Amino acid sequence: MNALSLTVVASPSPTSVSGADLLLWVAVPYVCLAVFVVGHVWRYRQDQFGWTSRTSQLLERRWLRWGNPLFHLGTFMVIAGHVVGLAVPASWTEAVGVDEHAYHTVAVWAGSVAGVAMVTGLGMLCARRLLSRRVRLGTDRSDKLLFPLLSATVLLGIAATAAHNVFGAGYDYRSTVSVWFRGLFALAPRPEAIAGAPLLFQLHALTACLLFAAWPFTRLVHVWSAPVGYLVRPYLVYRRRNGSVAPPRTASRPSGARPAVRP
Protein backbone atom coordinates (compact mmCIF):
# COMPACT_ATOMS: atom_id res chain seq x y z
CA MET A 1 0.00 0.00 0.00
CA ASN A 2 1.44 3.38 -0.97
CA ALA A 3 1.90 6.37 1.30
CA LEU A 4 -1.28 8.10 0.13
CA SER A 5 -3.61 5.15 0.61
CA LEU A 6 -6.10 5.68 3.37
CA THR A 7 -7.04 3.27 6.08
CA VAL A 8 -10.77 3.08 6.66
CA VAL A 9 -11.43 3.71 10.32
CA ALA A 10 -14.73 2.81 11.89
CA SER A 11 -15.92 5.29 14.48
CA PRO A 12 -16.40 3.73 17.91
CA SER A 13 -19.92 3.54 19.21
CA PRO A 14 -21.00 6.12 21.80
CA THR A 15 -21.39 3.37 24.40
CA SER A 16 -17.63 2.74 24.34
CA VAL A 17 -16.78 6.19 25.70
CA SER A 18 -15.00 6.02 29.06
CA GLY A 19 -14.65 8.58 31.80
CA ALA A 20 -11.09 9.32 30.68
CA ASP A 21 -12.35 10.00 27.15
CA LEU A 22 -14.95 12.44 28.48
CA LEU A 23 -12.27 14.20 30.51
CA LEU A 24 -9.69 14.43 27.71
CA TRP A 25 -11.93 15.08 24.72
CA VAL A 26 -14.83 17.05 26.23
CA ALA A 27 -13.87 18.65 29.55
CA VAL A 28 -10.31 19.69 28.66
CA PRO A 29 -11.20 21.28 25.28
CA TYR A 30 -14.12 23.25 26.72
CA VAL A 31 -12.05 24.47 29.68
CA CYS A 32 -9.28 25.57 27.31
CA LEU A 33 -11.77 27.37 25.05
CA ALA A 34 -13.30 29.13 28.06
CA VAL A 35 -9.83 30.26 29.23
CA PHE A 36 -9.10 31.39 25.66
CA VAL A 37 -12.17 33.66 25.53
CA VAL A 38 -12.16 34.96 29.12
CA GLY A 39 -8.38 35.38 29.10
CA HIS A 40 -8.49 37.64 26.05
CA VAL A 41 -11.16 39.83 27.63
CA TRP A 42 -9.12 40.08 30.84
CA ARG A 43 -5.88 40.80 28.97
CA TYR A 44 -7.47 43.53 26.89
CA ARG A 45 -8.97 45.25 29.92
CA GLN A 46 -5.94 44.89 32.19
CA ASP A 47 -2.92 45.02 29.89
CA GLN A 48 -3.58 46.95 26.69
CA PHE A 49 -0.04 48.35 26.70
CA GLY A 50 1.31 44.80 26.76
CA TRP A 51 -0.85 43.78 23.79
CA THR A 52 2.12 43.51 21.47
CA SER A 53 4.53 41.06 19.90
CA ARG A 54 7.36 42.57 21.99
CA THR A 55 9.70 42.58 19.03
CA SER A 56 13.40 42.21 19.71
CA GLN A 57 14.53 43.35 16.26
CA LEU A 58 16.85 45.97 17.69
CA LEU A 59 18.63 43.32 19.77
CA GLU A 60 19.38 40.86 16.97
CA ARG A 61 18.55 40.90 13.24
CA ARG A 62 20.54 38.21 11.45
CA TRP A 63 18.52 35.22 12.67
CA LEU A 64 15.28 37.19 12.72
CA ARG A 65 15.61 38.23 9.08
CA TRP A 66 15.13 34.64 7.88
CA GLY A 67 13.44 32.91 10.79
CA ASN A 68 10.53 35.32 11.14
CA PRO A 69 9.27 35.21 7.49
CA LEU A 70 9.69 31.43 7.27
CA PHE A 71 7.79 30.86 10.49
CA HIS A 72 4.92 33.19 9.63
CA LEU A 73 4.57 31.97 6.04
CA GLY A 74 4.55 28.35 7.18
CA THR A 75 2.09 29.19 9.94
CA PHE A 76 -0.39 30.81 7.55
CA MET A 77 -0.25 27.77 5.26
CA VAL A 78 -0.66 25.34 8.17
CA ILE A 79 -3.64 27.28 9.55
CA ALA A 80 -5.31 27.28 6.12
CA GLY A 81 -4.78 23.52 5.86
CA HIS A 82 -6.23 22.93 9.32
CA VAL A 83 -9.29 25.05 8.54
CA VAL A 84 -10.03 22.98 5.43
CA GLY A 85 -9.14 19.64 7.01
CA LEU A 86 -10.94 20.10 10.33
CA ALA A 87 -13.80 22.51 9.69
CA VAL A 88 -14.86 21.51 6.18
CA PRO A 89 -16.59 18.10 5.90
CA ALA A 90 -15.38 15.70 3.25
CA SER A 91 -18.79 15.83 1.55
CA TRP A 92 -18.30 19.55 0.85
CA THR A 93 -14.97 19.10 -0.92
CA GLU A 94 -16.38 16.18 -2.89
CA ALA A 95 -19.32 18.36 -3.93
CA VAL A 96 -16.92 20.77 -5.67
CA GLY A 97 -15.13 17.94 -7.48
CA VAL A 98 -12.24 17.20 -5.09
CA ASP A 99 -12.25 13.50 -4.19
CA GLU A 100 -10.53 12.08 -1.14
CA HIS A 101 -7.44 10.87 -3.00
CA ALA A 102 -6.85 14.28 -4.60
CA TYR A 103 -7.50 16.06 -1.30
CA HIS A 104 -5.04 13.93 0.65
CA THR A 105 -2.41 14.13 -2.09
CA VAL A 106 -2.48 17.94 -1.98
CA ALA A 107 -2.83 18.02 1.82
CA VAL A 108 0.17 15.76 2.42
CA TRP A 109 2.59 17.46 0.08
CA ALA A 110 1.47 21.06 0.63
CA GLY A 111 1.34 20.37 4.36
CA SER A 112 4.85 18.95 4.24
CA VAL A 113 6.20 22.11 2.57
CA ALA A 114 4.35 24.32 5.05
CA GLY A 115 5.54 22.20 7.95
CA VAL A 116 9.18 22.34 6.87
CA ALA A 117 9.01 26.14 6.50
CA MET A 118 7.30 26.52 9.88
CA VAL A 119 9.70 24.20 11.71
CA THR A 120 12.74 25.82 10.10
CA GLY A 121 11.57 29.31 11.03
CA LEU A 122 10.59 28.27 14.54
CA GLY A 123 13.92 26.52 15.02
CA MET A 124 15.79 29.66 13.99
CA LEU A 125 13.71 31.81 16.34
CA CYS A 126 14.27 29.42 19.25
CA ALA A 127 18.01 29.18 18.52
CA ARG A 128 18.19 32.96 18.33
CA ARG A 129 16.54 33.28 21.73
CA LEU A 130 18.93 30.74 23.26
CA LEU A 131 22.20 31.81 21.60
CA SER A 132 21.83 35.59 21.67
CA ARG A 133 22.51 36.83 25.19
CA ARG A 134 20.63 40.10 24.72
CA VAL A 135 17.54 38.33 23.37
CA ARG A 136 17.76 35.66 26.07
CA LEU A 137 17.79 38.28 28.80
CA GLY A 138 14.61 39.78 27.34
CA THR A 139 12.76 36.46 27.55
CA ASP A 140 10.00 36.60 30.14
CA ARG A 141 8.01 33.82 31.82
CA SER A 142 5.28 33.76 29.19
CA ASP A 143 7.91 33.15 26.47
CA LYS A 144 9.37 30.26 28.48
CA LEU A 145 5.90 28.68 28.40
CA LEU A 146 4.98 29.62 24.84
CA PHE A 147 8.02 28.46 22.89
CA PRO A 148 8.18 24.87 24.27
CA LEU A 149 4.40 24.46 23.98
CA LEU A 150 4.31 25.83 20.44
CA SER A 151 7.27 23.66 19.46
CA ALA A 152 5.63 20.54 20.89
CA THR A 153 2.37 21.24 19.04
CA VAL A 154 4.13 21.80 15.72
CA LEU A 155 6.47 18.81 16.01
CA LEU A 156 3.67 16.43 17.04
CA GLY A 157 1.59 17.53 14.05
CA ILE A 158 4.54 16.98 11.70
CA ALA A 159 5.30 13.61 13.27
CA ALA A 160 1.68 12.46 12.97
CA THR A 161 1.52 13.39 9.29
CA ALA A 162 4.90 11.85 8.49
CA ALA A 163 4.34 8.63 10.44
CA HIS A 164 0.86 7.88 9.11
CA ASN A 165 0.34 9.71 5.81
CA VAL A 166 3.83 10.05 4.31
CA PHE A 167 5.70 6.91 5.37
CA GLY A 168 2.79 4.92 6.80
CA ALA A 169 -0.26 3.19 5.37
CA GLY A 170 -2.38 6.34 5.59
CA TYR A 171 -4.93 7.58 8.10
CA ASP A 172 -8.19 9.41 7.33
CA TYR A 173 -8.34 11.92 10.16
CA ARG A 174 -11.31 13.65 8.52
CA SER A 175 -13.55 10.78 9.61
CA THR A 176 -12.37 10.88 13.23
CA VAL A 177 -10.44 13.93 14.48
CA SER A 178 -12.39 16.35 12.26
CA VAL A 179 -15.72 14.93 13.45
CA TRP A 180 -14.65 15.45 17.08
CA PHE A 181 -13.44 19.00 16.34
CA ARG A 182 -16.66 20.10 14.64
CA GLY A 183 -18.75 18.49 17.37
CA LEU A 184 -17.17 20.74 20.00
CA PHE A 185 -18.30 23.93 18.26
CA ALA A 186 -21.70 22.48 17.42
CA LEU A 187 -22.18 21.77 21.17
CA ALA A 188 -22.61 18.10 20.29
CA PRO A 189 -19.34 16.53 21.55
CA ARG A 190 -18.23 13.30 19.87
CA PRO A 191 -15.38 12.03 22.08
CA GLU A 192 -15.69 8.56 20.60
CA ALA A 193 -14.60 9.96 17.23
CA ILE A 194 -11.09 10.76 18.45
CA ALA A 195 -10.76 8.15 21.19
CA GLY A 196 -9.56 5.56 18.68
CA ALA A 197 -7.24 7.87 16.74
CA PRO A 198 -3.47 7.20 16.69
CA LEU A 199 -1.57 8.48 19.72
CA LEU A 200 0.33 11.15 17.77
CA PHE A 201 -2.91 12.73 16.56
CA GLN A 202 -4.29 12.67 20.11
CA LEU A 203 -1.18 14.29 21.57
CA HIS A 204 -1.23 16.92 18.83
CA ALA A 205 -4.86 17.73 19.64
CA LEU A 206 -4.18 17.98 23.39
CA THR A 207 -1.15 20.25 23.02
CA ALA A 208 -3.17 22.43 20.63
CA CYS A 209 -5.87 22.78 23.31
CA LEU A 210 -3.24 23.80 25.88
CA LEU A 211 -1.78 26.27 23.39
CA PHE A 212 -5.18 27.92 23.02
CA ALA A 213 -5.47 28.16 26.80
CA ALA A 214 -2.04 29.83 27.05
CA TRP A 215 -2.67 32.12 24.07
CA PRO A 216 -4.21 35.14 25.92
CA PHE A 217 -1.28 35.37 28.33
CA THR A 218 1.51 35.40 25.74
CA ARG A 219 2.71 37.51 22.82
CA LEU A 220 0.32 35.60 20.53
CA VAL A 221 -2.37 38.19 21.28
CA HIS A 222 -0.76 40.45 18.66
CA VAL A 223 -2.34 38.19 16.02
CA TRP A 224 -5.68 39.93 16.58
CA SER A 225 -4.37 43.46 16.15
CA ALA A 226 -1.13 43.50 14.16
CA PRO A 227 -2.57 42.66 10.71
CA VAL A 228 -5.20 45.41 10.92
CA GLY A 229 -2.92 48.45 10.88
CA TYR A 230 0.20 46.86 9.45
CA LEU A 231 -0.66 47.53 5.80
CA VAL A 232 -1.45 51.23 6.24
CA ARG A 233 0.88 52.35 9.00
CA PRO A 234 3.94 54.48 8.08
CA TYR A 235 7.38 52.91 8.04
CA LEU A 236 9.55 53.10 11.13
CA VAL A 237 13.06 54.14 10.16
CA TYR A 238 15.88 53.19 12.52
CA ARG A 239 19.14 55.08 12.15
CA ARG A 240 22.48 54.10 13.59
CA ARG A 241 24.22 56.87 15.55
CA ASN A 242 27.96 57.01 14.80
CA GLY A 243 29.91 58.40 17.73
CA SER A 244 28.63 60.32 20.69
CA VAL A 245 27.22 63.81 20.48
CA ALA A 246 28.65 66.17 23.06
CA PRO A 247 26.13 68.20 25.03
CA PRO A 248 26.02 71.92 24.18
CA ARG A 249 28.41 74.05 26.21
CA THR A 250 27.26 77.23 27.95
CA ALA A 251 29.61 80.13 28.69
CA SER A 252 30.14 80.75 32.38
CA ARG A 253 29.86 84.22 33.84
CA PRO A 254 31.00 85.71 37.16
CA SER A 255 28.72 85.36 40.09
CA GLY A 256 26.24 88.20 40.29
CA ALA A 257 26.94 89.43 36.76
CA ARG A 258 23.95 90.40 34.73
CA PRO A 259 23.51 88.79 31.30
CA ALA A 260 24.33 90.95 28.32
CA VAL A 261 21.35 92.18 26.39
CA ARG A 262 21.68 92.92 22.70
CA PRO A 263 20.12 96.15 21.45
Side-chain angles (χ1 to χ4, degrees):
M1 186 176 294
N2 58 41
L4 297 177
S5 300
L6 300 178
T7 302
V8 178
V9 179
S11 299
S13 61
T15 57
S16 63
V17 177
S18 64
D21 293 333
L22 292 174
L23 175 65
L24 290 176
W25 310 120
V26 179
V28 169
Y30 278 130
V31 168
C32 291
L33 287 175
V35 173
F36 177 82
V37 174
V38 176
H40 274 91
V41 174
W42 175 86
R43 178 75 181 273
Y44 184 79
R45 297 185 63 178
Q46 300 294 327
D47 186 28
Q48 289 192 29
F49 289 104
W51 193 286
T52 173
S53 63
R54 295 198 300 274
T55 179
S56 55
Q57 180 180 356
L58 295 178
L59 302 178
E60 197 280 334
R61 297 184 183 183
R62 186 167 57 92
W63 289 78
L64 189 66
R65 181 179 303 171
W66 294 102
N68 194 55
L70 281 173
F71 172 71
H72 283 87
L73 177 62
T75 299
F76 293 147
M77 295 175 64
V78 167
I79 291 175
H82 277 68
V83 169
V84 176
L86 296 177
V88 179
S91 58
W92 291 16
T93 53
E94 291 176 355
V96 297
V98 180
D99 59 20
E100 279 300 295
H101 179 74
Y103 167 80
H104 280 278
T105 301
V106 174
V108 167
W109 295 112
S112 298
V113 173
V116 169
M118 187 177 183
V119 169
T120 302
L122 182 59
M124 295 180 71
L125 294 178
C126 291
R128 169 181 179 269
R129 193 159 292 275
L130 292 174
L131 298 178
S132 173
R133 182 176 181 273
R134 293 194 297 175
V135 178
R136 187 171 64 251
L137 291 177
T139 302
D140 60 14
R141 288 178 295 179
S142 66
D143 292 330
K144 294 177 181 178
L145 169 66
L146 172 62
F147 280 91
L149 186 56
L150 181 60
S151 299
T153 305
V154 172
L155 293 177
L156 284 169
I158 297 266
T161 300
H164 294 280
N165 289 331
V166 176
F167 302 108
Y171 180 75
D172 186 10
Y173 61 87
R174 299 183 84 190
S175 64
T176 56
V177 180
S178 299
V179 173
W180 162 78
F181 178 82
R182 293 194 299 270
L184 292 175
F185 293 93
L187 301 181
R190 295 283 304 276
E192 72 279 359
I194 194 175
L199 179 61
L200 286 174
F201 283 96
Q202 293 181 341
L203 293 176
H204 178 57
L206 285 176
T207 53
C209 289
L210 296 178
L211 181 62
F212 273 92
W215 190 310
F217 312 105
T218 66
R219 65 176 64 211
L220 289 180
V221 293
H222 79 280
V223 170
W224 311 119
S225 55
V228 176
Y230 180 78
L231 297 177
V232 297
R233 74 180 185 183
Y235 288 101
L236 297 177
V237 179
Y238 297 98
R239 302 183 185 276
R240 183 184 299 275
R241 175 178 293 178
N242 295 323
S244 59
V245 178
R249 299 180 60 184
T250 58
S252 60
R253 61 176 181 266
S255 177
R258 298 179 63 182
V261 179
R262 290 187 178 180

